[in-house]
Amino acid sequence: MAAVSQKHVQLALGLPQRLLTFLARYPPATILPAEADPEKSKTGYQQDTPNPFLAQKHPVTGRWHDPKYSLRRQAELVKIARQYGVEELLPYTPKKTEERIKKRVELGLRVKGTGVGQKVKGHKHERQLVSKMEKRREAMLEMPNLIREWKKTGKRNWTKFPK
């Protein structure tokens, strides 16, 4: 147990100050000891806002309060956490890598017809792009054989394409 906690301490010492401050204010339940109750071990920050990345509805007035961390600051924290390999310790945010990938798959490239189950209904060049690129790829794969054959027989004697 002491060796494992020592490893976590060494890992924490290598993290940047912004990330350490955030994790101290909003510690994830996964790093709490096994015997600790998650409800009783919440910090004051967590009691005020369980997830600082999401907007909160005031229980009395019913008004919505902005998140504690703006989208720009969320993205910066996620980038730092990803760089140090602790992104999974952050609470849910739309800026997390898996959320961005999920949204990219769902919506596609923001080009009509590139999402899941969508079809392109657009210009002719958009509809034929996939088959054109496949033909081009096959031609590039065949290019070494074509060059070898041209060098062997000469361009004038080559009969694959009629004039």
Side-chain angles (χ1 to χ4, degrees):
M1 177 80 178
V4 173
S5 63
Q6 187 67 20
K7 185 177 91 172
H8 290 303
V9 169
Q10 291 300 322
L11 175 67
L13 291 175
L15 295 177
Q17 189 60 42
R18 280 181 78 181
L19 200 54
L20 279 176
T21 304
F22 179 83
L23 291 175
R25 288 180 179 175
Y26 300 97
T30 56
I31 64 172
L32 293 175
E35 63 275 356
D37 183 25
E39 288 299 318
K40 291 182 180 177
S41 60
K42 284 189 175 182
T43 63
Y45 291 98
Q46 283 178 316
Q47 290 171 356
D48 291 342
T49 55
N51 187 345
F53 295 152
L54 299 178
Q56 303 293 322
K57 191 173 187 178
H58 193 277
V60 177
T61 63
R63 288 179 171 245
W64 285 93
H65 292 264
D66 291 334
K68 298 290 182 195
Y69 288 84
S70 67
L71 290 174
R72 180 183 58 82
R73 287 174 62 202
Q74 288 177 34
E76 289 172 356
L77 271 174
V78 168
K79 283 179 190 173
I80 294 169
R82 185 181 325 120
Q83 182 181 356
Y84 286 90
V86 293
E87 186 180 359
E88 65 277 355
L89 296 179
L90 297 177
Y92 169 80
T93 175
K95 300 295 182 179
K96 277 186 145 181
T97 306
E98 61 263 11
E99 293 301 319
R100 287 179 178 252
I101 291 171
K102 196 184 313 178
K103 194 167 189 174
R104 175 61 61 94
V105 167
E106 181 184 318
L107 297 176
L109 301 172
R110 296 286 183 168
V111 175
K112 191 172 185 179
T114 58
V116 176
Q118 296 179 356
K119 249 186 157 178
V120 175
K121 180 183 176 189
H123 296 281
K124 188 174 182 180
H125 65 87
E126 291 173 337
R127 293 192 305 262
Q128 296 175 345
L129 183 64
V130 174
S131 62
K132 186 169 96 175
M133 294 307 286
E134 182 61 30
K135 284 180 186 175
R136 187 177 294 173
R137 189 181 75 76
E138 289 174 8
M140 290 303 290
L141 291 174
E142 290 292 322
M143 193 57 68
N145 296 336
L146 197 64
I147 292 171
R148 215 175 293 119
E149 192 173 328
W150 276 9
K151 285 183 176 180
K152 192 187 313 177
T153 62
K155 190 173 181 181
R156 290 184 186 180
N157 297 336
W158 195 62
T159 58
K160 193 166 190 175
F161 292 117
K163 292 183 181 182

